[in-house]
Amino acid sequence: MSLENIKKYEFGKPLNTGAVVVDIPKTEGIPTGFTYDEGSKELTTSLNKKDVVYGLGETIRGVNKRGWLYISNNADEPHHEETKHGLYASQNFLMLDDGNRCFGIFVDNPGIVQFDIAYTDADKFTIRFEDNDTYFYVIDGKTPYEIVSSFRELIGRSYIPPLWAFGFGQSRWGYKTADDVREVARRYKELGIPLDMIYMDIDYMQDFKDFTINPERFPDFEAFVKEMKDEGIRLVPIIDAGVKIEEGYDVYEEGVKEGYFCKKEDGTNLVAAVWPGKVHFPDFLNSAARKWFGDKYKLLTDAGIEGFWNDMNEPAIFYTEDHLKEVFAEIKDYENKELDIWGFFAFKNLIGSIDNNPEDYRRFYHDFDGVKVRHDKVHNLYGFYMTRSAGEAFERNNPDKRILMFSRSSYTGMHRYGGVWTGDNTSWWSHLLLNIKQMPSLSMTGFLYSGADVGGFGGNTTEDLVMRWTEFGIFTPLFRNHCALGGREQELYQFGKPEDFKNIVELRYSLVPYIYSEFMKAVLNNGMYMAPLSFEYRDDERCREIEDQLLVGDSIMVAPVYEQNKTGRYVYLPEKMKLIRFRSYNDFDEEILEAGDHYVKAELNEVLVFVRPGKALPLTKPAKCVDDLSWDDLSYITFDADPESYDMYKDDGISRL
Ligand code: GLC
């Protein structure tokens, strides 16, 4: 495909962020249909009454972004609430679609960008730059699929994980010893619930130091990795962005010696605090530092590790040494003062805003390969470049095999090196719905390998929430149950109906040939893995407002139940479909439903899948792990289709493509 349908505009003196991989000639002037106000740094266009605005990848609120102010400013944001303006990611692709004309835009600006989408003015869409050095792309196309596909060609092919990463993963912040991990494996095995991954949160490290293993709690780590792998389980450790400041710790000492950490104006290394206590931040924007840090993952891959998750890479800052000093000085001033009510709020704010303080992001600099840039100007690139550091190292050091990688923070371009999980959600039913709405937006922006903490990270979950969330999670490429320290334990064996959980997870394993095929086709053809109905049913006005049903690949639509105490839900069918009500991979009812509205029953242990006309859905027999699945002995659920018509994608699942 040629990219003549993409126009590139330039404002100010933009940096090359690495988001784009195709060189598009520059078009002079202001994009057609937009007005630009140099003084307020605002680009504005009108919205048609019918415009749906898609995009922005991982953020809050709906699939249609109309009616809110979204801000790209990557943050360690555990409150995924409607009042917020963004989360951990900046994926600045949007698409306006009124049903007849549609076009996409991509704002390649690594600083803070506001997207005022009919928020200030119900008929206008305004992009406000904190710093207007930006590339701005306008993408034309006849359909949303065409626009997404062109955008994705512009930004390069999405990351491909190993096939085993399509299995189920159990995680929890709080597995402290090898025996804790063994216990998880044992309990799953005992109940016969398939499991491919156990995630290792920060407790495996020595004092939260990256690339260390606590030798008392995880003795003979290499043997332990092998022991688990022999059981069919891969261990997936976390890596955090901050490097602990500690004499004698090689990563710290090398980083200081080589000048690989982010520096303040006066040339000293920034001192911030995260889990390990005081840390320095590697300057991932510098290619030498990036290579150095990336090569450290080898310590773990040499011990048999095949996957990682990168965290705290917005970067999250609990406090900086400098800011803390300022706060303490100000507190002294308060000591002998009468606190009036405004003084009380100012005081409270002084203490309450020490973490992730905007001022701190203006205190340090990057050596962006020879160009000194203040961090806030390129803030949204940090997580991307941390993951790029790992991704480039994997290509160098593990050239023959795929390594699992996903990150909390992201920017467009990172999708070539890893996936994302959607961070610290809460065990709320509304966050299950949020997860459903985030998925198609993530597909548009190329973050195909993605998913949420199933069951919810924060708060105390309930059995029914974990079950309903698992019923949706089986369709997300990254399928992981994860929970915070202190929350109610939510491994699937903690509840009263393990048999139901087993059936649901087994259904995922039966679907792996389909899920992997559809995922790979989306990667290789720049397509959508999970799509809103409106992408497909262009002439159906109703579909433009449906955000709680999704197309998963080419053959099926899903309609998850996401409310408590419900034994069914309303479903809208844009065309006649075959309803499959799964209780397990081999126990289900089938029913043909006409186009239109239906109330469909779904007991707590039942998963609703709708097969589209002329389509086939392959199923294999579940196994204890993905490596043990058979791809030859498949059965098919079809709706007026020949099983042979299904376009299966198959490869060895591990070699790099
Ligand atoms: C962050 C991560 C979370 C992890 C925790 C401890 O909050 O988002 O997934 O469990 O840190 O490492």
Side-chain angles (χ1 to χ4, degrees), residues 553-570:
D554 191 44
S555 297
I556 60 171
M557 180 184 83
V558 296
V561 177
Y562 52 86
E563 288 177 304
Q564 191 159 29
N565 300 321
K566 294 283 158 71
T567 53
R569 55 161 289 172
Y570 286 96

Side-chain angles (χ1 to χ4, degrees), residues 236-237 239 297 300-301 305 307-310 394 403-406:
V236 183
I239 302 292
Y297 288 78
L300 290 157
T301 52
I305 292 294
F308 300 88
W309 44 313
N310 280 347
F394 298 152
I403 303 285
L404 169 62
M405 165 54 67
F406 57 91

Side-chain angles (χ1 to χ4, degrees), residues 232-281:
I233 292 171
R234 261 100 173 174
L235 297 177
V236 183
I238 195 169
I239 302 292
D240 281 353
V243 169
K244 185 173 174 69
I245 299 176
E246 186 185 276
E247 296 303 324
Y249 168 37
D250 55 349
V251 185
Y252 161 74
E253 290 194 339
E254 285 168 29
V256 169
K257 182 162 161 274
E258 301 298 336
Y260 288 153
F261 294 125
C262 292
K263 298 193 175 36
K264 297 193 293 183
E265 180 74 83
D266 66 4
T268 60
N269 295 327
L270 176 86
V271 178
V274 202
W275 301 125
K278 290 193 178 161
V279 300
H280 291 322
F281 290 125

Side-chain angles (χ1 to χ4, degrees), residues 94-339:
L94 290 123
M95 181 163 48
L96 278 66
D97 173 29
D98 69 5
N100 289 315
R101 75 95 184 78
C102 46
F103 67 94
I105 60 165
F106 172 52
V107 180
D108 191 7
N109 181 320
I112 296 175
V113 182
Q114 295 195 359
F115 297 93
D116 181 337
I117 310 174
Y119 170 70
T120 305
D121 179 333
D123 304 321
K124 290 215 162 68
F125 173 22
T126 296
I127 300 156
R128 225 166 272 132
F129 303 103
E130 190 166 288
D131 194 327
N132 67 342
D133 293 328
T134 196
Y135 289 114
F136 186 82
Y137 296 84
V138 179
I139 306 156
D140 278 327
K142 284 198 229 27
T143 65
Y145 282 132
E146 265 183 46
I147 291 164
V148 164
S149 154
S150 295
F151 168 60
R152 299 263 298 285
E153 192 174 346
L154 179 72
I155 60 171
R157 196 180 78 186
S158 297
Y159 162 75
I160 302 173
L163 176 60
W164 53 262
F166 288 80
F168 175 56
Q170 181 61 57
S171 187
R172 178 181 177 85
W173 175 14
Y175 299 147
K176 287 208 161 34
T177 63
D179 279 344
D180 288 348
V181 174
R182 283 190 184 100
E183 175 70 1
V184 176
R186 187 184 69 75
R187 299 287 299 273
Y188 272 96
K189 191 174 174 186
E190 199 173 74
L191 292 168
I193 304 179
L195 186 69
D196 264 87
M197 290 154 275
I198 298 180
Y199 287 85
M200 301 175 75
D201 208 317
I202 46 176
D203 298 301
Y204 78 87
M205 300 180 202
Q206 176 73 52
D207 305 323
F208 307 138
K209 287 183 291 196
D210 280 336
F211 312 113
T212 66
I213 312 278
N214 183 308
E216 275 101 59
R217 291 190 271 120
F218 289 88
D220 199 349
F221 186 66
E222 201 170 326
F224 179 53
V225 174
K226 182 166 182 310
E227 174 193 326
M228 285 292 119
K229 195 166 171 191
D230 290 345
E231 298 267 325
I233 292 171
R234 261 100 173 174
L235 297 177
V236 183
I238 195 169
I239 302 292
D240 281 353
V243 169
K244 185 173 174 69
I245 299 176
E246 186 185 276
E247 296 303 324
Y249 168 37
D250 55 349
V251 185
Y252 161 74
E253 290 194 339
E254 285 168 29
V256 169
K257 182 162 161 274
E258 301 298 336
Y260 288 153
F261 294 125
C262 292
K263 298 193 175 36
K264 297 193 293 183
E265 180 74 83
D266 66 4
T268 60
N269 295 327
L270 176 86
V271 178
V274 202
W275 301 125
K278 290 193 178 161
V279 300
H280 291 322
F281 290 125
D283 187 357
F284 295 115
L285 275 64
N286 177 277
S287 49
R290 196 156 71 235
K291 176 170 186 302
W292 162 75
F293 192 89
D295 283 341
K296 296 287 171 206
Y297 288 78
K298 196 165 178 301
L299 282 164
L300 290 157
T301 52
D302 284 352
I305 292 294
E306 296 169 84
F308 300 88
W309 44 313
N310 280 347
D311 191 23
M312 308 305 275
N313 51 3
E314 294 70 30
I317 297 180
F318 292 170
Y319 63 83
T320 60
E321 199 170 56
D322 293 321
H323 186 56
L324 203 63
K325 272 191 203 133
E326 291 161 6
V327 170
F328 280 131
E330 274 194 63
I331 289 176
K332 281 219 170 62
D333 288 348
Y334 276 99
E335 218 168 40
N336 303 315
K337 260 193 222 160
E338 270 298 308
L339 269 193

